Amino acid sequence: MEKVSDAQVRQATVFNDQAIQLWQKGKKNEAIELWELAVEKAPKVSETLHNLGSAYLYLDRIEDALRCFQEATENDPELVEAYAKIGNIYQQKGDISTANEYWNRALQIDPSCQEAITNLEQFNTNRYDPENIPEYEIPDNNLSSSNKDSPIITSPNLTLGEKLVGGISTLLGRGKNTKR
């Protein structure tokens, strides 16, 4: 790759600033043309790549956005926002595992990255819905003889913690007596 001069970086920065103004005025296509020109002039300027990727993402040009964000993180491995957006793209694609990797990468760089925090919380809420934890049937051989006629312990009055402990114990093969 050809070396980029300081003059090219300055010109790309001017194009980036002009593109932001055009975008804010609703001139989306003109803004994208300027960002593309800025990236062409100085392909290693992460801010411009990030802005172009964000514009592509807004217009549902997902693959173009992903490419820009990935290039931005290659040029600036500390660009938190790009990692969070890559996570969002993988979530859209249905690849939650990869999305989690990128959101966690963003949090490694900046533990206060709200976009990553919100997405991880949303993912975990959907995955582990505390309102819909099933009742686990737990055989318990340690019950007193008066309860041995009823080998299954279930109760609608169990707390969330008791449900989780019972479920985990069952999964681990260690049925525990659950208090009611």
Side-chain angles (χ1 to χ4, degrees), residues 6-17:
D6 288 341
Q8 287 172 303
V9 171
R10 282 192 302 277
Q11 187 177 20
T13 302
V14 169
F15 287 158
N16 181 57
D17 294 343

Side-chain angles (χ1 to χ4, degrees), residues 31-110:
I32 286 176
E33 288 175 11
L34 271 178
W35 274 315
E36 290 171 339
L37 188 57
V39 168
E40 186 179 306
K41 294 281 182 195
K44 300 275 186 195
V45 179
S46 298
E47 179 185 358
T48 305
L49 283 163
H50 180 266
N51 289 343
L52 179 58
S54 296
Y56 284 151
L57 188 59
Y58 179 84
L59 297 174
D60 285 330
R61 292 175 57 180
I62 303 301
E63 293 305 316
D64 290 330
L66 181 59
R67 179 184 44 78
C68 285
F69 293 135
Q70 287 173 331
E71 287 178 25
T73 59
E74 288 170 13
N75 296 328
D76 182 359
E78 301 295 308
L79 192 57
V80 175
E81 299 86 359
Y83 288 109
K85 286 193 169 95
I86 292 170
N88 297 349
I89 289 171
Y90 279 106
Q91 179 188 31
Q92 278 185 311
K93 291 178 163 205
D95 186 348
I96 300 301
S97 176
T98 303
N100 277 325
E101 288 176 29
Y102 279 97
W103 292 328
N104 282 309
R105 177 67 179 124
L107 289 175
Q108 287 173 348
I109 298 166
D110 179 5

